[in-house]
Amino acid sequence: MIGPRRALLLAALLAIGSAAAADRRTLLLRAPAADHPQLLAQQAILDADPDGLFERDVAVVTALNPTGPQRFEAVLVGKDGREKLRRTEPLSLQALYALIDAMPMRKAEQQQRAQ
């Protein structure tokens, strides 16, 4: 039996499609409601740089869970399907990009694009 955290993560990955999940990093945003202040703040931060997210192959998925914990959560899942980060506060673009850009797979992507 899988726990509720893994079940939600699995549901989000299935929602964007397994083929797409393998080609993208997924930033899962979870909140109890669409008007949750931290969710709105995170979405505004991400909306400020769609090109940076695109360049880093980040798909943003929002999961509303009104019956679950009444908190915001951001979970970054790498292209390998593993959880890379989990936070209960909105992430800055600088923190998100620094984490992604330090990943070995991202470094390899940058080298490949430079050639």
Side-chain angles (χ1 to χ4, degrees), residues 74 76 79:
L76 178 65
K79 288 185 176 185

Side-chain angles (χ1 to χ4, degrees), residues 1-102:
M1 182 167 210
I2 62 174
R5 288 175 126 189
R6 285 212 174 260
L8 185 60
L9 185 59
L10 180 60
L13 292 175
L14 290 174
I16 62 171
S18 58
D23 294 338
R24 295 194 164 277
R25 295 168 183 92
T26 302
L27 181 61
L28 172 63
L29 306 177
R30 182 174 75 170
D35 62 351
H36 190 280
Q38 289 176 308
L39 176 61
L40 294 174
Q42 184 67 76
Q43 290 170 328
I45 290 167
L46 298 173
D47 288 346
D49 188 24
D51 293 337
L53 295 171
F54 179 79
E55 178 185 328
R56 290 168 178 84
D57 297 327
V58 177
V60 179
V61 176
T62 301
L64 301 179
N65 188 6
T67 61
Q70 297 298 297
R71 68 174 188 267
F72 168 81
E73 197 167 47
V75 181
L76 178 65
V77 179
K79 288 185 176 185
D80 61 1
R82 293 185 179 159
E83 182 177 314
K84 305 299 182 183
L85 174 81
R86 181 179 295 265
R87 293 287 184 266
T88 56
E89 297 291 326
L91 294 164
S92 70
L93 287 174
Q94 295 82 7
L96 180 62
Y97 292 169
L99 175 65
I100 292 171
D101 291 345

